Every structure is written in C-alpha cells, then in structure tokens.
Amino acid sequence: MLEDSTPSFSDSTSKPRLEPPATARELGIGLCPPDDRAEALAVLYHRLSASTRANMIVELLRQEARGQLDLSGLWIASRKRRIVGAMLTQTLAGRAIAIWPPVIARSWGAASLASSMVREALRVSEAQGIRLAQALVEDNAPKQTALDLARGGLAYVTDLLYLGRPTHDVLPIPPGVPPLEWRGYTPDRHDRFARMLERSYQGSLDMPELAGLRSLDDVLQGHLARGSFDPDRWRLGWLEGQTEPVAVLLLLAGSESTWEVSYLGLAPEARGRGLGRRVLAHALELTRPHAHRLELAVDVRNLPADRLYQRCGFHAFVRRRVHLAVLGRRGPEGAGSPPLQDGSVIG
C-alpha cells in the first residue's frame, strides 16, 4: 500500500542546491536552502489566509528547529531571484520517494513550471538510486494537479479506496473455513516473511505494476519504517499440517484510536477458501484491545478484495488517485522505461 508518512530526510549534502537565475527569463529549480524555507513555505501555503499562513510557517519552522520535522526535501522554483513554486518530497525506506504536487504562486507558465519541478525531482532521485516514486492525490483535487504530475513523469495508474470499520464487533467465520495457526515476526523468520510476501504477489490484483520492481528486503524495509514497529503485529498464518505459511498480515498502530492493515496477502493456493475473512478476523482481534477502528486501502481494480472488505463491515471514507514512476529502468539503447499506462504503496 502507499506509504503515507511525515517527512524524514537525510544525506542532504549530496543533493543539488538552487543556483540563482542568471537572467530574468531563466528558471532555477532545486532543493530549498535553509535560509529560504520561510519564503518557500509561504508559496506552498499561499492559498491560506495571511494570518493562518504566517502562524503555520512559524510553527513548522519551530518543529524543524526542535528536530520534529525535516524540511530538507522542500524544492523550489525561482525566477528573477523570487520563489514562484514549491514542492515537498520525502525519501522513504526501501528506495522509494513520495512527492506532493507542486504549488505555483504565480499563474504565468504554471503548468510547465510544475511539471519541470516534478521532472527534476525524479531525475535527482534516480541518480541517488531511488527505484520508485509515488504521489497520492485527493479525489477532489483539480484536474490540473493530475496533468502536472503526469507531464512531469508520474503517470496516473489507479485509485485507492480507504476503508474502515469499528473493532468492537467480532467478525464471524462461516463453517468449513479452515483455522490458521499464527506466529509473529522474529529475526529467524525474516526469510519466511520475505518468501510469503513474494508468494502473495503472484496473481495479485493490487498494484500489479509494482511486481518485481524492488527487492523483498526493500519492501520489508518500507514496511518496517512505517510507524512504531512491533514484531507481534506482523503475523504469518499456517494451515494445519503445512510446512510453509499461506497468509501474511502486517499491522500498523496508526494512532491511539486507529490501527491500519499495512499489508494482507494469501498464497495463490489458499485463495477462494474464506481465509481472507479469517485473516481480517485475526486483524480485528489483535486491534480490538488497543484501538476502536481498523483501516485499510485497496486498489479499485481489485474487485474481489473490495467485495470481501465490504462484506466484512468495512466502509469507504476517502478515495485517492495514485501516480507512479519506476526509476532506473533502461531500454536496449539506455533510454528510460516507458511510462506506466493508465490503469496504485505498495507491497
């Protein structure tokens, strides 16, 4: 599933810095120098009222000074030595990066400028070994936002539905559904988790474009970096008499009131037997003592999973558009890979 987290950046010394434009017509795009972050944030939030914007900037800079927020992923576009565009990026574990849509304060050439900022961020990310770039866009965002991302190299792929349900009601299991024996994550089970994740991707309808793009260690590191990792919230499920697990469940404690299903998967031979419902029942059982609500996300193209979740009492509360770029792919003559076709972070 897509990784939605707060900015956390490092290795800023290896990243490019903005050079002031030499002429009025030239444009500079790069990472924002620390002394210019207040001005860049003013552009990023220029649609807010002046008082709200000023208070927000002061608070964000205070958080950065206290080490609670890292703004080293803040990009700017400058013309005539004035910042006219701003964009936030966040490096994620597992060689991935999240990009928030650029905000352009002045309308002249806004679309071209926005796409140029995205394109430059992707170029630098690829040079740093990033394999996957992603952007999540609210369903009610202006159409121009999607166009800016796509023209910059982040192709629209699909939509994600976010669903949730209260945890207080026990999810009943129909007769005939076999039980699963659950075991938590331990270092000596790391390889089993990796193999089970790989098996669960076979024939999956969730983000099939991502299959094989990153190593399983990259994928696991991406999940490990999300929130406060508790090995007991990561589970493998075995059928009686089987030597290998057939189910994997990764839970994330999102807040005091809400937990998230970071990932849920079944081996191909275990599908169609009601085990998806049993995995959800186990997720609710683990969550119930700690949180009042359980949430998850599903690719809208994965109709069987969507129907399962809704039958299990989950209801959609938001929809987001997913834009992706696969970096580091090279064709036979060294050209970049073709963009993903219209068709969602992430396993």
Side-chain angles (χ1 to χ4, degrees):
M1 299 181 185
L2 284 170
E3 296 169 45
D4 253 341
S5 48
T6 54
S8 176
F9 304 92
S10 60
D11 194 24
S12 60
T13 57
S14 65
K15 297 175 181 177
R17 294 298 178 189
L18 181 76
E19 296 295 335
T23 70
R25 296 191 65 182
E26 288 186 350
L27 177 70
I29 295 176
L31 285 158
C32 181
D35 291 345
D36 294 337
R37 285 175 186 162
E39 183 183 354
L41 291 171
V43 172
L44 199 62
Y45 298 107
H46 78 275
R47 294 186 180 91
L48 300 178
S49 68
S51 60
T52 301
R53 180 171 63 248
N55 291 335
M56 178 174 288
I57 292 171
V58 169
E59 178 57 27
L60 290 175
L61 294 176
R62 282 177 180 168
Q63 290 181 22
E64 183 185 33
R66 293 194 295 261
Q68 299 171 331
L69 180 67
D70 193 335
L71 294 174
S72 60
L74 183 61
W75 286 72
I76 56 175
S78 176
R79 183 180 284 121
K80 297 183 181 180
R81 298 183 181 273
R82 299 181 65 183
I83 295 176
V84 295
M87 178 180 72
L88 190 61
T89 66
Q90 176 197 353
T91 302
L92 304 171
R95 296 195 295 168
I97 189 169
I99 297 178
W100 280 262
V103 176
I104 310 301
R106 293 165 180 81
S107 60
W108 185 85
S112 176
L113 178 52
S115 60
S116 295
M117 294 185 74
V118 174
R119 194 176 300 111
E120 180 63 8
L122 293 180
R123 185 191 68 80
V124 171
S125 297
E126 182 173 13
Q128 294 175 341
I130 298 295
R131 294 283 285 117
L132 180 67
Q134 61 187 52
L136 288 173
V137 181
E138 297 296 330
D139 191 45
N140 58 359
K143 291 183 178 180
Q144 187 61 47
T145 300
L147 291 174
D148 293 341
L149 292 170
R151 289 168 179 165
L154 279 166
Y156 168 75
V157 178
T158 189
D159 286 9
L160 282 181
L161 277 180
Y162 291 76
L163 304 97
R165 64 154 280 173
T167 59
H168 55 74
D169 291 332
V170 175
L171 182 61
I173 303 298
V177 176
L180 290 170
E181 177 190 347
W182 294 99
R183 302 173 195 171
Y185 179 89
T186 57
D188 63 315
R189 292 193 187 121
H190 180 91
D191 290 343
R192 283 188 180 272
F193 270 84
R195 290 197 301 269
M196 183 58 231
L197 279 172
E198 184 175 35
R199 293 176 68 206
S200 73
Y201 296 152
Q202 297 174 24
S204 173
L205 299 177
D206 260 323
M207 312 287 193
E209 295 84 1
L210 302 179
L213 292 182
R214 297 185 292 165
S215 72
L216 292 175
D217 277 342
D218 283 341
V219 172
L220 285 171
Q221 287 303 315
H223 286 296
L224 283 166
R226 297 195 64 211
S228 176
F229 170 63
D230 183 338
D232 199 48
R233 297 175 190 147
W234 283 26
R235 296 291 181 97
L236 291 177
W238 273 262
L239 288 169
E240 185 178 1
Q242 298 289 324
T243 58
E244 290 293 325
V246 297
V248 57
L249 172 66
L250 309 182
L251 284 173
L252 172 69
S255 69
E256 293 182 358
S257 61
T258 303
W259 279 22
E260 301 171 21
V261 176
S262 181
Y263 187 79
L264 182 161
L266 294 174
E269 70 272 16
R271 296 167 190 164
R273 303 174 61 182
L275 291 174
R277 187 180 185 94
R278 188 171 285 283
V279 178
L280 287 172
H282 187 61
L284 289 164
E285 178 185 339
L286 292 174
T287 305
R288 192 172 295 114
H290 308 282
H292 304 302
R293 182 175 171 84
L294 182 64
E295 295 180 353
L296 49 80
V298 63
D299 186 329
V300 294
R301 299 170 295 179
N302 192 347
L303 297 179
D306 186 26
R307 286 194 291 265
L308 168 66
Y309 298 147
Q310 296 199 39
R311 287 197 302 267
C312 292
F314 287 83
H315 298 283
F317 61 90
V318 72
R319 183 175 179 133
R320 293 189 177 112
R321 296 196 291 268
V322 181
H323 291 252
L324 294 176
V326 179
L327 308 179
R329 277 184 176 174
R330 297 294 169 185
E333 298 180 358
S337 63
L340 294 173
Q341 299 302 308
D342 286 359
S344 124
V345 133
I346 287 183

